[in-house]
């Protein structure tokens, strides 16, 4: 198993797969940074527009210190629209949340949400498919079976795949922390301290749970796609089936 693990790691490095997927991960993080900056700008615009809706400052401040509730309403075309009963506080919390996302602590959590549910599982799933179909593509399974059993080969591949997925994920988190240090330089902030409203940031437990869940999801998707494509034995069919 140790030898098959080393062989698959060697293949992933030698075939430039690691470099390709590192580049993809880097690109996704920078796209996430652009998205976070745009959301923050949008939140400020919304907050300023909400302020203009009030005829006097006291009414605005009064609503600002109240909580709000959200209601999901489905229209005739089955579209779900969200309505809030206090747009002042809602827009304030939106700004506060958007500001936090542009920090070294908040941006990795934003990236975990931004990438974790769609993009990251897709990337890791494709990686699993590429790794599982390599020996079929180059016809090397028979040669490998002469020195290792099926169990050793598959176990080594799964361990190698899981190691690469974990490494890519922690690379994304570390890169997000570094980028989060510089994001405030690309954004415009308004002074929220003047309103003297406490809005707590995510707790350590919730942040840790999110990061762990995203990692587990990426691992499950990568390993499952690996196992399924292993039985299909065709790269093109596996990729199309996975993406569909």
């Amino acid at each position: 198993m140790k030898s098959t693990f080393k062989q698959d790691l060697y293949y992933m490095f030698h075939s430039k797969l690691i470099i390709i997927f590192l580049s993809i991960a880097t690109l996704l993080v920078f796209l996430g940074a652009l998205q976070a900056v745009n959301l923050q700008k949008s939140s400020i615009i919304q907050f300023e527009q909400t302020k203009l809706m009030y005829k006097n400052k006291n009414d605005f401040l009064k609503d600002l210190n109240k909580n709000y509730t959200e209601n999901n309403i489905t229209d005739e075309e089955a579209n779900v629209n969200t309505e809030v009963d206090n747009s002042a506080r809602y827009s304030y919390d939106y700004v506060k949340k958007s500001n936090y996302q542009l920090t070294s602590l908040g941006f990795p959590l934003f990236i975990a949400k931004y990438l974790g549910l769609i993009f990251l599982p897709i990337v890791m799933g494709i990686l699993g498919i590429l790794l599982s179909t390599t020996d079929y593509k180059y016809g090397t399974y028979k040669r490998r079976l002469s020195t290792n059993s099926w169990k050793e080969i598959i176990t080594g591949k799964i361990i190698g795949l899981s190691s690469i997925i974990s490494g890519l994920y922690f690379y994304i988190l570390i890169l997000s922390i570094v980028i989060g240090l510089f994001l405030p330089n690309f954004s415009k902030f308004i002074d929220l301290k003047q309103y003297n409203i406490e809005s707590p940031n995510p707790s350590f437990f919730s942040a840790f749970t999110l990061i762990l869940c995203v990692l587990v999801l990426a691992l499950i998707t990568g390993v499952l796609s690996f196992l399924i494509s292993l039985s299909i034995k065709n790269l093109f069919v596996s990729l199309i089936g996975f993406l569909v």
Side-chain angles (χ1 to χ4, degrees):
M1 184 184 71
K2 188 176 180 181
S3 62
T4 59
F5 168 70
K6 289 181 178 180
Q7 286 173 3
D8 287 304
L9 281 184
Y10 173 78
Y11 162 73
M12 284 188 279
F13 280 102
H14 183 70
S15 63
K16 306 294 191 299
L17 267 182
I18 300 299
I19 295 175
I20 291 170
F21 279 84
L22 277 174
S23 301
I24 292 172
T26 303
L27 176 62
L28 288 174
V29 172
F30 275 97
L31 288 175
L34 181 62
Q35 177 74 357
V37 170
N38 288 335
L39 284 174
Q40 196 266 351
K41 291 179 180 178
S42 174
S43 70
I44 291 178
I45 293 173
Q46 180 177 316
F47 184 72
E48 297 294 347
Q49 289 176 343
T50 303
K51 282 173 63 177
L52 295 175
M53 292 170 56
Y54 286 82
K55 294 182 178 180
N56 61 75
K57 186 177 179 180
N58 290 332
D59 289 342
F60 175 72
L61 294 175
K62 192 175 179 181
D63 281 352
L64 205 60
N65 285 276
K66 296 178 183 177
N67 290 322
Y68 66 89
T69 57
E70 296 183 53
N71 295 311
N72 292 324
I73 300 174
T74 304
D75 58 24
E76 296 177 353
E77 298 178 355
N79 296 316
V80 179
N81 300 309
T82 302
E83 291 187 355
V84 294
D85 59 359
N86 184 359
S87 58
R89 181 56 183 267
Y90 175 81
S91 60
Y92 172 87
D93 285 351
Y94 183 27
V95 172
K96 196 77 183 286
K97 178 183 175 182
S98 300
N99 287 347
Y100 181 69
Q101 289 173 172
L102 301 183
T103 64
S104 59
L105 294 177
F107 185 59
L109 298 180
F110 172 77
I111 284 296
K113 294 178 184 177
Y114 175 75
L115 298 181
L117 295 179
I118 300 177
F119 297 108
L120 198 60
I122 289 176
V123 171
M124 300 313 176
I126 292 174
L127 178 60
I129 291 171
L130 291 174
L131 185 61
S132 70
T133 55
T134 301
D135 289 311
Y136 290 118
K137 180 180 179 181
Y138 296 105
T140 54
Y141 261 124
K142 290 183 180 180
R143 188 182 69 199
R144 297 185 69 178
L145 282 170
S146 63
T147 55
N148 301 100
S149 66
W150 269 109
K151 183 179 179 181
E152 289 175 326
I153 293 173
I154 293 175
T155 303
K157 281 181 175 291
I158 290 176
I159 293 174
L161 175 63
S162 299
S163 301
I164 295 301
I165 288 176
S166 299
L168 284 171
Y169 182 62
F170 286 109
Y171 165 76
I172 287 172
L173 291 179
I174 293 171
L175 181 61
S176 301
I177 292 172
V178 174
I179 291 177
L181 294 171
F182 299 96
L183 283 181
N185 298 325
F186 299 93
S187 305
K188 175 186 176 183
F189 292 88
I190 57 176
D191 182 19
L192 295 179
K193 293 181 180 179
Q194 60 179 308
Y195 301 109
N196 196 28
I197 300 173
E198 290 295 329
S199 182
N201 294 320
S203 65
F204 173 80
F205 177 77
S206 64
F208 177 78
T209 302
L210 172 63
I211 290 173
L212 182 62
C213 286
V214 171
L215 174 59
V216 171
L217 179 61
L219 286 170
I220 290 174
T221 307
V223 173
L224 279 179
S225 65
F226 166 81
L227 293 173
I228 293 172
S229 61
L230 198 64
S231 61
I232 295 174
K233 302 179 183 180
N234 184 282
L235 174 62
F236 181 75
V237 173
S238 298
L239 284 173
I240 295 300
F242 172 72
L243 293 175
V244 170

